[in-house]
Amino acid sequence: MSGWLTEAVPRGRIAAFRTLIYLFVAADLVVFTPWVRTRASVPGELYQPLLIGRLLPLPTPTPTLVAVIFWALLLLALLAATGRAPRLLGWSVCALYLEWMIIAMSYGKVDHDRFGLLVALAVLPTAGRARHGDTTRTEAGGWALRVTQIAVICTYFLAAWAKLRFGGLDWLTGSVLARAIIRRGTDLADLVAQVPYLLIVAQFGIVAFELFSPVVFLLPARWRLAMVGFFYSFHVVTIATITISFAPHLAAMTSFLPLERFRPLVWARRLAGRGTRGSATDTPARVETEPTAPDPAPVGAGAEPVPPGDQAPALGRPAGP
């Protein structure tokens, strides 16, 4: 079990995952959860902190507090994405984003799609230093990715458990998806809703998919990636039909992917280099010179020239005198 939890992965994968997660945190502040800043104008008596906010305890949000957290978290997340000072910047981003989420979720609504992201932020500082493209393996980084993967799958499994716990079997045969389509459905969802019993079948399929999601850990690597691809396709359909985004969860789920293979900066440099060579208009004139005789092979007992490029000598004639 310990070997599975700490299965070594390339450091390049940790570097790519770290960059992606911290860039997502920065994007989350300005794209997905900018509304958290409006909590500063809400009367303090409406603030009902989560359990962790009561245990610490954390202060009631004020305009100054929310503004400081926003700008500090945005700056530190961008710095952490560079991979520098992974522990100092990592723990700072983790603490500030946790407070950001406590403020966001302490007014009556708690989103479950941020569990995997919060776990990723908590374990990334333990992975140590990592550079993009580094192929050396690290067990500490493997543990960080594995814990994030477990959190992602727990999000699915516990969501199904909550559906059956609070909704019972009626969740499967009720009008859950129909109400979601009425509230925030798209034109595509309207077409789907016209098919008899399709929404009921979809509700059974959602619960089955969530309950059996832990199977991903039992599959070989190729099939595991295929199943993760199915997870992503499920969320694409969800966004296309009822416009519910699980963006933080999708970011955490990249912990399953071989991210070390994706190196956009390297690809951009290669494309830029090809463009530079292709745009050159002046080509040097060919200078023809008289062929020169090859240098004679060194003569000496046991002296064998090393073939260029560490390749084997040409067939038909042995190397050496």
Side-chain angles (χ1 to χ4, degrees):
M1 185 64 177
S2 61
W4 178 77
L5 282 172
T6 60
E7 182 179 358
V9 299
R11 293 185 184 274
R13 185 177 305 181
I14 298 299
F17 183 65
R18 173 180 288 147
T19 298
L20 187 150
I21 290 297
Y22 291 135
L23 286 180
F24 177 83
V25 169
D28 186 47
L29 294 175
V30 298
V31 177
F32 299 106
T33 60
W35 49 266
V36 178
R37 302 180 69 181
T38 64
R39 296 293 188 255
S41 60
V42 176
E45 57 268 19
L46 297 180
Y47 176 68
Q48 300 294 326
L50 303 174
L51 176 61
I52 186 173
R54 299 192 300 270
L55 293 177
L56 288 179
L58 296 173
T60 300
T62 63
T64 301
L65 176 64
V66 174
V68 168
I69 293 175
F70 175 84
W71 290 109
L73 182 54
L74 182 61
L75 175 61
L76 292 176
L78 293 175
L79 290 175
T82 65
R84 298 180 182 275
R87 291 180 176 84
L88 176 61
L89 292 176
W91 290 123
S92 300
V93 170
C94 178
L96 289 173
Y97 190 78
L98 178 61
E99 169 64 357
W100 185 257
M101 285 294 99
I102 292 174
I103 295 174
M105 308 301 169
S106 294
Y107 292 87
K109 180 178 181 291
V110 178
D111 296 332
H112 69 287
D113 63 340
R114 297 180 179 272
F115 177 58
L117 178 63
L118 285 168
V119 171
L121 292 175
V123 298
L124 268 175
T126 69
R129 294 186 176 275
R131 297 184 62 181
H132 290 272
D134 190 349
T135 58
T136 59
R137 294 184 171 266
T138 166
E139 291 186 352
W143 180 83
L145 289 183
R146 185 70 76 196
V147 172
T148 304
Q149 294 169 3
I150 293 173
V152 168
I153 298 304
C154 283
T155 301
Y156 287 132
F157 186 83
L158 295 178
W161 176 259
K163 291 180 178 68
L164 297 177
R165 178 187 176 188
F166 297 104
L169 296 179
D170 291 339
W171 197 98
L172 300 171
T173 59
S175 57
V176 177
L177 290 181
R179 289 198 300 269
I181 291 174
I182 292 173
R183 288 177 55 205
R184 52 192 304 167
T186 63
D187 293 338
L188 176 61
D190 293 337
L191 294 175
V192 172
Q194 297 176 11
V195 181
Y197 302 106
L198 182 57
L199 295 183
I200 300 297
V201 173
Q203 288 170 183
F204 273 91
I206 289 171
V207 173
F209 142 65
E210 290 176 335
L211 286 175
F212 287 97
S213 58
V215 174
V216 70
F217 292 120
L218 305 178
L219 298 177
R222 178 176 299 180
W223 288 103
R224 186 184 308 122
L225 289 177
M227 190 168 183
V228 172
F230 169 76
F231 293 166
Y232 276 105
S233 66
F234 166 78
H235 290 287
V236 170
V237 173
T238 301
I239 295 173
T241 53
I242 54 179
T243 62
I244 295 179
S245 171
F246 284 79
H249 178 80
L250 300 182
M253 194 157 60
T254 59
S255 57
F256 282 99
L257 304 180
L259 295 176
E260 70 276 10
R261 300 179 185 177
F262 300 94
R263 303 188 64 187
L265 293 179
V266 174
W267 299 341
R269 292 193 192 102
R270 290 176 180 173
L271 289 176
R274 292 176 183 175
T276 302
R277 291 194 299 269
S279 62
T281 56
D282 296 332
T283 56
R286 184 189 306 178
V287 179
E288 295 187 2
T289 59
E290 303 233 349
T292 57
D295 294 335
V299 179
E304 294 186 3
V306 180
D310 293 333
Q311 296 179 353
L315 294 177
R317 177 167 180 163

